[in-house]
Amino acid sequence: MPQIDEEKCDGCGLCISVCLNHGLTIVNEVVARVEGVDCDWCAQCEIVCATGAICCPFEIVIER
Amino acid sequence: MLSKLELLKCSSYFSGLGSDELEAISGLVFEKSYKNGAIIILEGEAAEALYFVASGVVKVFKTSSDGKEQTLAIIRPRETFNEVPIFDGDVNPASVQAMTEVMLYGIRVRDIGNILHTYPLVSTNVIRIMAGRLRHLIALVEDLSFRHVIGRVAKILLEYATDGTSPGPRLTQREMASMAGTAREVVSRSLKNLEKDGFIKIDRQRIIIKDREALNNIVSPLFETNVTDG
């Protein structure tokens, strides 16, 4: 699931509205993941976040 | 959601204006709402209004004849779009699509003309805003035209790759963009091109390097020179 920095989150909710899987919600005025919902790693939440509070980092591996 | 007056108060376009003036201008503002995915503005059509995003997010983009899309800007609440055709009188130079449910406030072209005539301070604000937009686009043109961004992205992938047996560093597209000295949109396009060529595979949160030698070839000597030269 996307990584969330609660300190940076201003609770604007834009990431929630772009998540096609409905995998994000607001808890205590900051964004939180919805348990049990899968993430497509589309990174739309990262794209719309103005504060850099949510991101979808990639692990880079060499095929063996 | 911001009210019309609240939005005008925090808009750079109207900074320096008093409450009475903002109140008068708010009478010219109309509302429009769009569903997620709706096309708000179509490239090539006549411009109707300057838009302020009251809630939601939109993207401004160009589409090539073969269907490739280039995002020019992401517009969030309190920000504006569609300035260019409003002020030069030509058609829309790009399309705009809602990325969420969107509420917009708009001011029609003829009303913008009247506002500029009545409140010269707004013209000064417009010049400053347009200069900022131009600066952003110059940087994007530079990235797309002159820099060997794909080589830089390939180099980053090779540098941060692991063999998968132990956890390695994880990078966002934004971080890769910062490292490559480019925009996130350009990194996104570079990754797609590398995947299309079969050199990498993007599998959710993993970028799998399938052809290490090909990536090494992309990291050209010219690219190395550019990096050294800063």
Short mmCIF file of all heavy atoms in Angstrom, two decimals, chain B residues 108-158:
data_model
loop_
_atom_site.label_atom_id
_atom_site.label_comp_id
_atom_site.label_asym_id
_atom_site.label_seq_id
_atom_site.Cartn_x
_atom_site.Cartn_y
_atom_site.Cartn_z
N ARG B 108 -16.27 34.53 -17.29
CA ARG B 108 -16.34 34.51 -18.75
C ARG B 108 -15.37 35.52 -19.37
O ARG B 108 -15.00 36.51 -18.73
CB ARG B 108 -17.76 34.80 -19.23
CG ARG B 108 -18.70 33.66 -18.91
CD ARG B 108 -20.11 33.89 -19.41
NE ARG B 108 -20.96 32.75 -19.04
CZ ARG B 108 -21.49 32.60 -17.83
NH1 ARG B 108 -21.29 33.52 -16.89
NH2 ARG B 108 -22.21 31.53 -17.55
N VAL B 109 -15.00 35.23 -20.63
CA VAL B 109 -13.99 36.04 -21.32
C VAL B 109 -14.35 37.52 -21.30
O VAL B 109 -13.52 38.37 -20.97
CB VAL B 109 -13.86 35.57 -22.80
CG1 VAL B 109 -12.88 36.44 -23.55
CG2 VAL B 109 -13.41 34.12 -22.85
N ARG B 110 -15.58 37.85 -21.63
CA ARG B 110 -15.96 39.27 -21.71
C ARG B 110 -15.87 39.94 -20.33
O ARG B 110 -15.52 41.11 -20.22
CB ARG B 110 -17.36 39.43 -22.30
CG ARG B 110 -18.46 38.82 -21.46
CD ARG B 110 -19.84 39.23 -21.98
NE ARG B 110 -20.86 38.76 -21.06
CZ ARG B 110 -21.37 37.53 -21.07
NH1 ARG B 110 -20.96 36.67 -21.97
NH2 ARG B 110 -22.28 37.17 -20.19
N ASP B 111 -16.18 39.18 -19.29
CA ASP B 111 -16.11 39.74 -17.94
C ASP B 111 -14.65 39.95 -17.50
O ASP B 111 -14.34 40.90 -16.79
CB ASP B 111 -16.83 38.83 -16.94
CG ASP B 111 -18.33 38.80 -17.19
OD1 ASP B 111 -18.87 39.84 -17.65
OD2 ASP B 111 -18.96 37.76 -16.95
N ILE B 112 -13.77 39.04 -17.93
CA ILE B 112 -12.34 39.21 -17.63
C ILE B 112 -11.86 40.53 -18.24
O ILE B 112 -11.15 41.31 -17.59
CB ILE B 112 -11.51 38.03 -18.21
CG1 ILE B 112 -11.77 36.76 -17.42
CG2 ILE B 112 -10.03 38.37 -18.24
CD1 ILE B 112 -11.10 36.70 -16.06
N GLY B 113 -12.27 40.79 -19.48
CA GLY B 113 -11.89 42.05 -20.14
C GLY B 113 -12.35 43.26 -19.34
O GLY B 113 -11.58 44.21 -19.15
N ASN B 114 -13.56 43.21 -18.87
CA ASN B 114 -14.08 44.33 -18.07
C ASN B 114 -13.32 44.49 -16.76
O ASN B 114 -13.05 45.60 -16.31
CB ASN B 114 -15.57 44.11 -17.78
CG ASN B 114 -16.41 44.25 -19.04
OD1 ASN B 114 -16.00 44.92 -19.99
ND2 ASN B 114 -17.56 43.60 -19.07
N ILE B 115 -12.98 43.35 -16.13
CA ILE B 115 -12.25 43.40 -14.85
C ILE B 115 -10.88 44.05 -15.06
O ILE B 115 -10.44 44.91 -14.28
CB ILE B 115 -12.10 41.98 -14.26
CG1 ILE B 115 -13.46 41.46 -13.78
CG2 ILE B 115 -11.10 41.97 -13.11
CD1 ILE B 115 -13.48 39.98 -13.44
N LEU B 116 -10.18 43.65 -16.13
CA LEU B 116 -8.85 44.21 -16.41
C LEU B 116 -8.94 45.72 -16.64
O LEU B 116 -8.07 46.49 -16.22
CB LEU B 116 -8.22 43.53 -17.63
CG LEU B 116 -7.86 42.05 -17.49
CD1 LEU B 116 -7.32 41.51 -18.81
CD2 LEU B 116 -6.84 41.84 -16.38
N HIS B 117 -10.02 46.13 -17.32
CA HIS B 117 -10.20 47.56 -17.62
C HIS B 117 -10.51 48.34 -16.35
O HIS B 117 -10.00 49.45 -16.15
CB HIS B 117 -11.36 47.69 -18.63
CG HIS B 117 -11.59 49.10 -19.07
ND1 HIS B 117 -10.72 49.76 -19.92
CD2 HIS B 117 -12.58 49.98 -18.77
CE1 HIS B 117 -11.17 50.99 -20.12
NE2 HIS B 117 -12.30 51.14 -19.43
N THR B 118 -11.33 47.76 -15.50
CA THR B 118 -11.78 48.47 -14.28
C THR B 118 -10.72 48.45 -13.19
O THR B 118 -10.56 49.42 -12.44
CB THR B 118 -13.07 47.80 -13.74
OG1 THR B 118 -13.99 47.66 -14.83
CG2 THR B 118 -13.70 48.65 -12.65
N TYR B 119 -9.98 47.34 -13.09
CA TYR B 119 -8.99 47.19 -12.00
C TYR B 119 -7.60 46.92 -12.60
O TYR B 119 -7.19 45.75 -12.73
CB TYR B 119 -9.38 46.04 -11.07
CG TYR B 119 -10.82 46.09 -10.60
CD1 TYR B 119 -11.77 45.19 -11.10
CD2 TYR B 119 -11.23 47.03 -9.65
CE1 TYR B 119 -13.09 45.23 -10.67
CE2 TYR B 119 -12.56 47.07 -9.22
CZ TYR B 119 -13.47 46.18 -9.74
OH TYR B 119 -14.77 46.22 -9.32
N PRO B 120 -6.85 47.97 -12.93
CA PRO B 120 -5.53 47.78 -13.58
C PRO B 120 -4.56 46.93 -12.74
O PRO B 120 -3.67 46.27 -13.30
CB PRO B 120 -5.01 49.21 -13.71
CG PRO B 120 -6.22 50.07 -13.68
CD PRO B 120 -7.20 49.38 -12.79
N LEU B 121 -4.76 46.90 -11.43
CA LEU B 121 -3.89 46.09 -10.58
C LEU B 121 -3.94 44.61 -10.97
O LEU B 121 -2.95 43.89 -10.88
CB LEU B 121 -4.30 46.26 -9.11
CG LEU B 121 -3.46 45.54 -8.06
CD1 LEU B 121 -2.01 46.02 -8.10
CD2 LEU B 121 -4.04 45.76 -6.67
N VAL B 122 -5.13 44.20 -11.43
CA VAL B 122 -5.30 42.79 -11.83
C VAL B 122 -4.39 42.47 -13.02
O VAL B 122 -3.83 41.38 -13.12
CB VAL B 122 -6.77 42.48 -12.16
CG1 VAL B 122 -6.95 41.04 -12.63
CG2 VAL B 122 -7.65 42.72 -10.93
N SER B 123 -4.21 43.46 -13.92
CA SER B 123 -3.34 43.25 -15.09
C SER B 123 -1.91 42.96 -14.65
O SER B 123 -1.23 42.09 -15.21
CB SER B 123 -3.34 44.48 -15.99
OG SER B 123 -4.63 44.69 -16.50
N THR B 124 -1.45 43.70 -13.64
CA THR B 124 -0.10 43.46 -13.11
C THR B 124 0.00 42.05 -12.54
O THR B 124 0.99 41.34 -12.76
CB THR B 124 0.21 44.48 -11.99
OG1 THR B 124 -0.12 45.78 -12.46
CG2 THR B 124 1.67 44.43 -11.61
N ASN B 125 -1.03 41.64 -11.83
CA ASN B 125 -1.04 40.28 -11.27
C ASN B 125 -1.01 39.24 -12.38
O ASN B 125 -0.33 38.22 -12.27
CB ASN B 125 -2.29 40.07 -10.40
CG ASN B 125 -2.28 40.92 -9.14
OD1 ASN B 125 -1.22 41.34 -8.68
ND2 ASN B 125 -3.46 41.19 -8.60
N VAL B 126 -1.77 39.51 -13.46
CA VAL B 126 -1.82 38.56 -14.58
C VAL B 126 -0.43 38.39 -15.19
O VAL B 126 0.00 37.26 -15.47
CB VAL B 126 -2.81 39.06 -15.66
CG1 VAL B 126 -2.64 38.25 -16.95
CG2 VAL B 126 -4.24 38.95 -15.16
N ILE B 127 0.29 39.50 -15.35
CA ILE B 127 1.63 39.42 -15.95
C ILE B 127 2.53 38.53 -15.10
O ILE B 127 3.26 37.67 -15.61
CB ILE B 127 2.24 40.83 -16.09
CG1 ILE B 127 1.47 41.63 -17.15
CG2 ILE B 127 3.72 40.75 -16.46
CD1 ILE B 127 1.77 43.11 -17.16
N ARG B 128 2.46 38.71 -13.79
CA ARG B 128 3.30 37.91 -12.88
C ARG B 128 2.94 36.42 -12.97
O ARG B 128 3.81 35.56 -13.05
CB ARG B 128 3.14 38.42 -11.45
CG ARG B 128 4.22 37.89 -10.51
CD ARG B 128 4.14 38.48 -9.12
NE ARG B 128 2.88 38.18 -8.47
CZ ARG B 128 1.91 39.07 -8.22
NH1 ARG B 128 2.08 40.33 -8.57
NH2 ARG B 128 0.80 38.71 -7.63
N ILE B 129 1.64 36.14 -13.00
CA ILE B 129 1.19 34.74 -13.05
C ILE B 129 1.60 34.10 -14.38
O ILE B 129 2.10 32.97 -14.42
CB ILE B 129 -0.35 34.66 -12.86
CG1 ILE B 129 -0.70 35.07 -11.44
CG2 ILE B 129 -0.87 33.27 -13.18
CD1 ILE B 129 -2.17 35.40 -11.24
N MET B 130 1.41 34.84 -15.47
CA MET B 130 1.74 34.29 -16.78
C MET B 130 3.25 34.05 -16.91
O MET B 130 3.68 33.08 -17.55
CB MET B 130 1.26 35.22 -17.90
CG MET B 130 -0.25 35.35 -18.00
SD MET B 130 -1.07 33.78 -18.27
CE MET B 130 -0.78 33.54 -19.99
N ALA B 131 4.04 34.93 -16.31
CA ALA B 131 5.50 34.74 -16.34
C ALA B 131 5.87 33.46 -15.60
O ALA B 131 6.75 32.70 -16.05
CB ALA B 131 6.20 35.94 -15.70
N GLY B 132 5.18 33.18 -14.50
CA GLY B 132 5.42 31.94 -13.74
C GLY B 132 5.07 30.72 -14.57
O GLY B 132 5.80 29.72 -14.58
N ARG B 133 3.94 30.80 -15.27
CA ARG B 133 3.52 29.68 -16.12
C ARG B 133 4.54 29.45 -17.24
O ARG B 133 4.87 28.32 -17.59
CB ARG B 133 2.15 29.96 -16.74
CG ARG B 133 1.02 30.04 -15.74
CD ARG B 133 0.60 28.64 -15.29
NE ARG B 133 -0.15 28.70 -14.05
CZ ARG B 133 -1.45 28.80 -13.96
NH1 ARG B 133 -2.16 28.84 -15.04
NH2 ARG B 133 -2.04 28.86 -12.80
N LEU B 134 5.01 30.56 -17.81
CA LEU B 134 5.99 30.47 -18.90
C LEU B 134 7.28 29.82 -18.40
O LEU B 134 7.86 28.96 -19.08
CB LEU B 134 6.27 31.87 -19.44
CG LEU B 134 7.10 31.96 -20.72
CD1 LEU B 134 6.45 31.16 -21.84
CD2 LEU B 134 7.25 33.42 -21.14
N ARG B 135 7.68 30.19 -17.20
CA ARG B 135 8.90 29.61 -16.63
C ARG B 135 8.74 28.09 -16.47
O ARG B 135 9.65 27.33 -16.79
CB ARG B 135 9.18 30.27 -15.27
CG ARG B 135 10.50 29.88 -14.66
CD ARG B 135 10.72 30.65 -13.36
NE ARG B 135 10.99 32.06 -13.57
CZ ARG B 135 12.18 32.55 -13.90
NH1 ARG B 135 13.21 31.75 -14.05
NH2 ARG B 135 12.35 33.84 -14.06
N HIS B 136 7.58 27.66 -15.99
CA HIS B 136 7.31 26.22 -15.82
C HIS B 136 7.39 25.50 -17.18
O HIS B 136 8.00 24.44 -17.30
CB HIS B 136 5.93 26.03 -15.20
CG HIS B 136 5.43 24.62 -15.22
ND1 HIS B 136 5.87 23.66 -14.32
CD2 HIS B 136 4.56 23.99 -16.04
CE1 HIS B 136 5.28 22.51 -14.60
NE2 HIS B 136 4.47 22.67 -15.62
N LEU B 137 6.79 26.11 -18.20
CA LEU B 137 6.76 25.47 -19.51
C LEU B 137 8.14 25.46 -20.17
O LEU B 137 8.49 24.51 -20.87
CB LEU B 137 5.73 26.16 -20.42
CG LEU B 137 4.28 25.90 -20.03
CD1 LEU B 137 3.33 26.71 -20.87
CD2 LEU B 137 3.92 24.41 -20.16
N ILE B 138 8.93 26.52 -19.92
CA ILE B 138 10.29 26.54 -20.46
C ILE B 138 11.08 25.36 -19.88
O ILE B 138 11.82 24.67 -20.60
CB ILE B 138 10.99 27.88 -20.14
CG1 ILE B 138 10.40 28.99 -21.02
CG2 ILE B 138 12.50 27.78 -20.35
CD1 ILE B 138 10.84 30.39 -20.62
N ALA B 139 10.92 25.12 -18.58
CA ALA B 139 11.62 24.01 -17.94
C ALA B 139 11.18 22.68 -18.53
O ALA B 139 12.00 21.78 -18.77
CB ALA B 139 11.37 24.04 -16.43
N LEU B 140 9.88 22.55 -18.80
CA LEU B 140 9.36 21.30 -19.36
C LEU B 140 9.87 21.10 -20.78
O LEU B 140 10.26 19.99 -21.17
CB LEU B 140 7.83 21.32 -19.33
CG LEU B 140 7.11 19.99 -19.60
CD1 LEU B 140 7.56 18.93 -18.61
CD2 LEU B 140 5.61 20.16 -19.53
N VAL B 141 9.90 22.17 -21.56
CA VAL B 141 10.41 22.09 -22.94
C VAL B 141 11.88 21.67 -22.91
O VAL B 141 12.33 20.83 -23.71
CB VAL B 141 10.26 23.44 -23.66
CG1 VAL B 141 11.07 23.47 -24.95
CG2 VAL B 141 8.79 23.71 -23.97
N GLU B 142 12.63 22.25 -22.00
CA GLU B 142 14.04 21.91 -21.87
C GLU B 142 14.20 20.41 -21.58
O GLU B 142 15.01 19.73 -22.21
CB GLU B 142 14.66 22.73 -20.73
CG GLU B 142 16.16 22.55 -20.59
CD GLU B 142 16.70 23.31 -19.40
OE1 GLU B 142 15.91 23.80 -18.59
OE2 GLU B 142 17.92 23.39 -19.29
N ASP B 143 13.40 19.92 -20.65
CA ASP B 143 13.47 18.50 -20.30
C ASP B 143 13.15 17.62 -21.49
O ASP B 143 13.85 16.65 -21.78
CB ASP B 143 12.45 18.18 -19.19
CG ASP B 143 12.96 18.60 -17.84
OD1 ASP B 143 14.16 18.83 -17.71
OD2 ASP B 143 12.14 18.70 -16.92
N LEU B 144 12.08 17.97 -22.20
CA LEU B 144 11.60 17.11 -23.28
C LEU B 144 12.49 17.19 -24.51
O LEU B 144 12.57 16.25 -25.28
CB LEU B 144 10.16 17.49 -23.65
CG LEU B 144 9.11 17.21 -22.57
CD1 LEU B 144 7.78 17.83 -22.93
CD2 LEU B 144 8.95 15.72 -22.36
N SER B 145 13.13 18.35 -24.70
CA SER B 145 13.86 18.58 -25.94
C SER B 145 15.34 18.26 -25.87
O SER B 145 15.89 17.67 -26.79
CB SER B 145 13.73 20.04 -26.36
OG SER B 145 12.39 20.42 -26.43
N PHE B 146 15.97 18.67 -24.80
CA PHE B 146 17.43 18.67 -24.82
C PHE B 146 18.09 17.64 -23.92
O PHE B 146 19.20 17.22 -24.16
CB PHE B 146 17.94 20.06 -24.41
CG PHE B 146 17.40 21.16 -25.26
CD1 PHE B 146 16.75 22.23 -24.70
CD2 PHE B 146 17.52 21.10 -26.64
CE1 PHE B 146 16.23 23.25 -25.48
CE2 PHE B 146 16.99 22.11 -27.43
CZ PHE B 146 16.36 23.18 -26.86
N ARG B 147 17.42 17.27 -22.85
CA ARG B 147 18.10 16.41 -21.89
C ARG B 147 17.92 14.95 -22.23
O ARG B 147 16.88 14.53 -22.70
CB ARG B 147 17.55 16.68 -20.48
CG ARG B 147 17.94 18.03 -19.98
CD ARG B 147 17.53 18.21 -18.54
NE ARG B 147 17.89 19.55 -18.11
CZ ARG B 147 17.48 20.09 -16.98
NH1 ARG B 147 16.70 19.42 -16.17
NH2 ARG B 147 17.87 21.30 -16.65
N HIS B 148 18.96 14.19 -21.95
CA HIS B 148 18.89 12.76 -22.17
C HIS B 148 18.30 12.12 -20.93
O HIS B 148 18.96 11.40 -20.19
CB HIS B 148 20.29 12.22 -22.46
CG HIS B 148 20.88 12.80 -23.70
ND1 HIS B 148 20.86 12.15 -24.91
CD2 HIS B 148 21.46 13.99 -23.94
CE1 HIS B 148 21.42 12.91 -25.83
NE2 HIS B 148 21.80 14.04 -25.27
N VAL B 149 17.01 12.46 -20.71
CA VAL B 149 16.38 12.05 -19.47
C VAL B 149 16.30 10.53 -19.37
O VAL B 149 16.52 9.96 -18.30
CB VAL B 149 14.98 12.67 -19.35
CG1 VAL B 149 14.28 12.16 -18.11
CG2 VAL B 149 15.09 14.17 -19.28
N ILE B 150 16.02 9.89 -20.50
CA ILE B 150 15.85 8.43 -20.44
C ILE B 150 17.16 7.77 -19.99
O ILE B 150 17.16 6.78 -19.27
CB ILE B 150 15.33 7.88 -21.79
CG1 ILE B 150 14.67 6.53 -21.57
CG2 ILE B 150 16.40 7.82 -22.84
CD1 ILE B 150 13.75 6.11 -22.69
N GLY B 151 18.29 8.37 -20.40
CA GLY B 151 19.59 7.86 -19.96
C GLY B 151 19.78 8.05 -18.47
O GLY B 151 20.31 7.18 -17.78
N ARG B 152 19.33 9.19 -17.97
CA ARG B 152 19.46 9.45 -16.54
C ARG B 152 18.58 8.49 -15.74
O ARG B 152 18.99 7.98 -14.70
CB ARG B 152 19.06 10.88 -16.22
CG ARG B 152 19.96 11.89 -16.88
CD ARG B 152 19.62 13.28 -16.44
NE ARG B 152 20.39 14.23 -17.25
CZ ARG B 152 20.57 15.49 -16.95
NH1 ARG B 152 20.03 15.96 -15.87
NH2 ARG B 152 21.28 16.27 -17.73
N VAL B 153 17.38 8.26 -16.25
CA VAL B 153 16.47 7.33 -15.56
C VAL B 153 17.06 5.92 -15.57
O VAL B 153 17.05 5.22 -14.55
CB VAL B 153 15.07 7.36 -16.20
CG1 VAL B 153 14.18 6.26 -15.62
CG2 VAL B 153 14.41 8.72 -15.99
N ALA B 154 17.61 5.54 -16.72
CA ALA B 154 18.23 4.20 -16.83
C ALA B 154 19.38 4.08 -15.83
O ALA B 154 19.55 3.04 -15.17
CB ALA B 154 18.73 3.97 -18.25
N LYS B 155 20.15 5.15 -15.69
CA LYS B 155 21.29 5.13 -14.77
C LYS B 155 20.82 4.98 -13.32
O LYS B 155 21.39 4.21 -12.54
CB LYS B 155 22.09 6.43 -14.93
CG LYS B 155 23.40 6.45 -14.19
CD LYS B 155 24.30 7.55 -14.74
CE LYS B 155 25.71 7.44 -14.17
NZ LYS B 155 25.91 8.29 -13.03
N ILE B 156 19.75 5.68 -12.99
CA ILE B 156 19.19 5.58 -11.63
C ILE B 156 18.72 4.15 -11.36
O ILE B 156 18.98 3.58 -10.31
CB ILE B 156 18.03 6.59 -11.45
CG1 ILE B 156 18.59 8.01 -11.44
CG2 ILE B 156 17.24 6.32 -10.18
CD1 ILE B 156 17.53 9.09 -11.63
N LEU B 157 18.04 3.57 -12.35
CA LEU B 157 17.54 2.19 -12.18
C LEU B 157 18.69 1.23 -11.92
O LEU B 157 18.63 0.38 -11.03
CB LEU B 157 16.75 1.75 -13.42
CG LEU B 157 15.44 2.49 -13.70
CD1 LEU B 157 14.79 1.96 -14.97
CD2 LEU B 157 14.47 2.39 -12.53
N LEU B 158 19.77 1.38 -12.70
CA LEU B 158 20.92 0.49 -12.54
C LEU B 158 21.59 0.69 -11.19
O LEU B 158 22.01 -0.26 -10.53
CB LEU B 158 21.92 0.72 -13.68
CG LEU B 158 21.47 0.24 -15.06
CD1 LEU B 158 22.39 0.77 -16.15
CD2 LEU B 158 21.42 -1.29 -15.10
#
